[in-house]
Amino acid sequence: DVDTKDRTIFLQRPKGGTRRAFSIPYDDSLAPLLEKLKEERGATWAFDWPKNLPSKDWFLFFGRLSAKHGLPRYSFHCLRVTFITRGVKAGVPEAVMMKLVNHAGTTVHRAYQRLTFEDARPYLAKLRPKIPTQI
């Protein structure tokens, strides 16, 4: 359910069922596409739900694509990993990121973060002890 006025998407049946329904804002760059779909179809929907689980369709699509072009095989959760990792790197508060991806607990949420040593490097200077240069 897309609300073009408030720029939100309401997910009625996320993983976990209707009791976990939630809304998320969408980026303004999607507004023209969603408006165009609404005008062209004259309906309130933007897409048809796939017959299979979205993650399975995603897996099959990238499986064919990777086989054809020699690309890595991705899963639907790669999107979540990328989105959450970018949020962490951008300094988005954990509570905000958890709301955006509908994570209820920090344990699962943190499992999706893929930070490297290079991401930690800027913080090393803060951890260095202050060694006196004169006695």
Side-chain angles (χ1 to χ4, degrees), residues 31-77:
L33 172 65
L34 294 171
E35 289 291 342
K36 182 178 177 185
L37 286 171
K38 185 176 179 180
E39 288 173 19
E40 287 178 358
R41 295 185 178 185
T44 57
W45 50 268
F47 69 97
D48 292 317
W49 284 102
K51 293 176 185 167
N52 298 320
L53 295 173
S55 59
K56 184 176 180 184
D57 285 341
W58 183 268
F59 183 77
L60 293 172
F61 170 76
F62 275 105
R64 289 185 206 107
L65 190 65
S66 66
K68 184 176 180 181
H69 299 286
L71 299 171
R73 192 171 187 130
Y74 295 103
S75 71
F76 181 75
H77 280 86

Side-chain angles (χ1 to χ4, degrees):
D1 292 328
V2 177
D3 183 339
T4 55
K5 181 181 171 215
D6 290 333
R7 302 263 201 265
T8 59
I9 298 172
F10 178 64
L11 301 164
Q12 295 180 27
R13 293 179 306 274
K15 185 176 177 181
T18 55
R19 64 183 173 77
R20 303 245 357 242
F22 68 105
S23 291
I24 58 170
Y26 64 81
D27 191 87
D28 289 339
S29 63
L30 288 176
L33 172 65
L34 294 171
E35 289 291 342
K36 182 178 177 185
L37 286 171
K38 185 176 179 180
E39 288 173 19
E40 287 178 358
R41 295 185 178 185
T44 57
W45 50 268
F47 69 97
D48 292 317
W49 284 102
K51 293 176 185 167
N52 298 320
L53 295 173
S55 59
K56 184 176 180 184
D57 285 341
W58 183 268
F59 183 77
L60 293 172
F61 170 76
F62 275 105
R64 289 185 206 107
L65 190 65
S66 66
K68 184 176 180 181
H69 299 286
L71 299 171
R73 192 171 187 130
Y74 295 103
S75 71
F76 181 75
H77 280 86
C78 288
L79 289 175
R80 292 177 74 102
V81 168
T82 300
F83 184 72
I84 292 168
T85 302
R86 286 183 178 179
V88 170
K89 289 180 180 184
V92 177
E94 185 174 57
V96 172
M97 286 303 300
M98 287 175 61
K99 182 69 175 167
L100 289 172
V101 296
N102 201 32
H103 280 160
T106 56
T107 303
V108 170
H109 183 72
R110 289 176 183 164
Y112 279 87
Q113 298 174 21
R114 301 292 195 268
L115 300 175
T116 66
F117 181 76
E118 291 305 313
D119 297 321
R121 189 177 296 282
Y123 299 95
L124 288 176
K126 294 180 180 184
L127 300 174
R128 288 192 183 113
K130 303 264 189 219
I131 301 173
T133 54
Q134 296 178 352
I135 298 182

